[in-house]
């Protein structure tokens, strides 16, 4: 065997590939380090948490997680969060998909103006309208009720959802719509029997965004709910805050337990999310 064949040359990565890998590694580290510190913080004492927040615990103390999991109020707040999130996702997906289908396949006077007006809602976060929203919900008599909390979350999630759905629906072949019309298919039948079965990826993608927004909502429940038995898990953090100190190890353990359902949902829907994003969910 010649010397030329003994030495194997490995191709050097290009600058673009090196930059991409470095960026992905830095982004992953930036996201994972807080998760790592939060998970371990639930096993540490307060003193160790302050002096060594990122190291492994000297002694794995399970008492904090046992205290959190044995508290009945945790399960009540998790059940409330499941209910609010389920209602928000279900109604937002239904309304937004029907509105987006109308904008993408039906022509009517003022269509572009109506769509621009609806999408402009993305520029206004919920915190900017919290006072007027509180007054309106109070006038309707919906304070401290499930519907009074879910309705604003649906309203604030519609603009982004319609944008994603409309972009996806416009990627579908127009021949489907034309063939269905020729066969006498109504709009509702075409939407529920043809469009919705083809929209699993975008439903999962939008559903995850809505899940994160509703599951982590803090300001709206704080303003609109008064009864502790209706609190979502985010308001449960207040029970670990005393007059002079905060039990950070309990707070970190509580956050670790309560974000597990969101992570599980994301992992289950991951395949559909990638498909939804790759099929035009974020185009135009």
């Amino acid at each position: 065997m010649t010397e030329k064949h003994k030495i194997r040359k490995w191709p050097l990565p290009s600058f673009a590939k090196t930059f991409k890998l470095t960026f992905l590694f830095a982004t992953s580290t930036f996201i994972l380090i807080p998760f790592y510190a939060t998970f371990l913080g639930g096993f540490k004492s307060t003193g160790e948490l302050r002096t060594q927040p990122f190291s492994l615990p000297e002694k794995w103390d399970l008492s904090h997680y046992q205290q959190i999991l044995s508290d009945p109020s945790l399960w009540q707040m998790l059940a409330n969060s499941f209910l609010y999130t389920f209602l928000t996702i279900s109604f937002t997906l239904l309304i937004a998909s029907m509105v987006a289908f109308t904008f993408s396949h039906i022509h009517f006077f003022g269509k572009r103006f109506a769509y621009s007006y609806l999408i402009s809602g993305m520029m206004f976060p919920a915190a900017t309208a919290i006072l007027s929203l509180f007054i309106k919900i109070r006038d309707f008599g919906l304070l401290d009720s499930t519907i009074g909390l879910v309705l604003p979350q649906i309203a604030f999630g519609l603009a982004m959802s319609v944008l994603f759905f409309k972009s996806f629906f416009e990627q579908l072949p127009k021949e489907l719509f034309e063939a269905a019309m020729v066969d006498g298919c109504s709009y509702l039948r075409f939407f529920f029997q043809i469009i919705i079965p083809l929209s699993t990826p975008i439903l999962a993608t939008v559903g995850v965004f809505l899940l994160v927004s509703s599951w982590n909502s803090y300001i709206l429940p704080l303003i609109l709910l008064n009864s502790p038995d209706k609190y979502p898990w985010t308001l449960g953090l207040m029970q670990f805050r005393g007059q002079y100190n905060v039990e950070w190890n309990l707070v970190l353990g509580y956050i670790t337990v309560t974000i597990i359902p969101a992570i599980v949902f994301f992992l289950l829907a991951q395949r559909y999310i990638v498909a939804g994003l790759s099929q035009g969910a974020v185009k135009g």
Side-chain angles (χ1 to χ4, degrees):
M1 183 177 292
T2 63
E3 189 67 23
K4 181 178 179 180
H5 291 88
K6 291 181 179 178
I7 301 175
R8 185 176 182 180
K9 294 182 178 179
W10 294 92
L12 294 176
S14 63
F15 174 78
K17 186 176 182 180
T18 304
F19 177 79
K20 185 187 298 183
L21 292 175
T22 305
F23 177 77
L24 291 175
F25 178 77
T27 304
S28 302
T29 304
F30 182 76
I31 294 174
L32 292 177
I33 283 182
F35 279 109
Y36 167 80
T38 302
F39 173 71
L40 294 182
F43 295 101
K44 298 180 180 179
S45 63
T46 303
E48 187 182 2
L49 190 59
R50 290 177 177 172
T51 56
Q52 300 174 346
F54 298 106
S55 65
L56 292 175
E58 296 178 358
K59 179 183 177 183
W60 293 81
D61 186 1
L62 300 177
S63 61
H64 303 133
Y65 282 103
Q66 290 174 348
Q67 179 180 343
I68 293 168
L69 294 175
S70 61
D71 186 359
S73 64
L74 166 71
W75 303 107
Q76 177 64 47
M77 287 184 283
L78 279 178
N80 293 337
S81 290
F82 273 116
L83 175 63
Y84 302 145
T85 303
F86 173 76
L87 293 176
T88 301
I89 293 177
S90 301
F91 283 100
T92 306
L93 290 181
L94 177 63
I95 298 171
S97 59
M98 295 181 76
V99 172
F101 173 77
T102 303
F103 281 122
S104 60
H105 286 284
I106 299 176
H107 299 283
F108 57 91
F109 177 75
K111 171 182 170 181
R112 295 184 62 181
F113 174 78
Y115 178 68
S116 301
Y117 180 77
L118 178 64
I119 295 302
S120 65
M122 294 176 62
M123 297 187 295
F124 301 99
T128 59
I130 201 67
L131 179 59
S132 56
L133 182 64
F134 173 80
I135 295 174
K136 190 60 66 178
I137 294 293
R138 182 200 60 186
D139 293 343
F140 287 148
L142 297 177
L143 281 179
D144 200 28
S145 66
T146 299
I147 189 172
L149 177 62
V150 171
L151 278 179
Q153 293 186 357
I154 295 173
F156 283 110
L158 275 179
M160 179 204 68
S161 304
V162 169
L163 175 66
F164 276 63
F165 275 118
K166 181 175 180 293
S167 179
F168 182 84
F169 290 159
E170 288 177 346
Q171 306 299 320
L172 297 176
K174 294 186 182 300
E175 289 77 10
L176 278 176
F177 183 73
E178 295 170 356
M181 292 298 103
V182 170
D183 292 340
C185 184
S186 65
Y187 285 116
L188 282 178
R189 186 182 173 192
F190 176 72
F191 177 76
F192 285 108
Q193 295 190 355
I194 298 178
I195 293 295
I196 291 299
L198 294 174
S199 305
T200 305
I202 192 62
L203 289 171
T205 303
V206 177
V208 167
F209 284 108
L210 294 172
L211 170 76
V212 173
S213 174
S214 178
W215 186 261
N216 296 327
S217 180
Y218 180 81
I219 294 181
L220 284 177
L222 181 65
I223 300 298
L224 300 176
L225 297 178
N226 296 320
S227 303
D229 60 334
K230 295 182 180 178
Y231 283 176
W233 77 266
T234 49
L235 297 188
L237 291 170
M238 294 189 297
Q239 63 183 315
F240 305 117
R241 186 183 62 186
Q243 184 175 2
Y244 301 106
N245 64 339
V246 178
E247 298 177 275
W248 287 110
N249 38 23
L250 288 174
V251 170
L252 296 177
Y254 184 84
I255 292 174
T256 302
V257 171
T258 50
I259 64 173
I260 289 176
I263 294 175
V264 170
F265 180 84
F266 175 80
L267 293 176
L268 293 176
Q270 185 179 19
R271 180 163 60 94
Y272 298 104
I273 296 170
V274 174
L277 293 175
S278 62
Q279 292 179 20
V282 294
K283 293 180 181 178

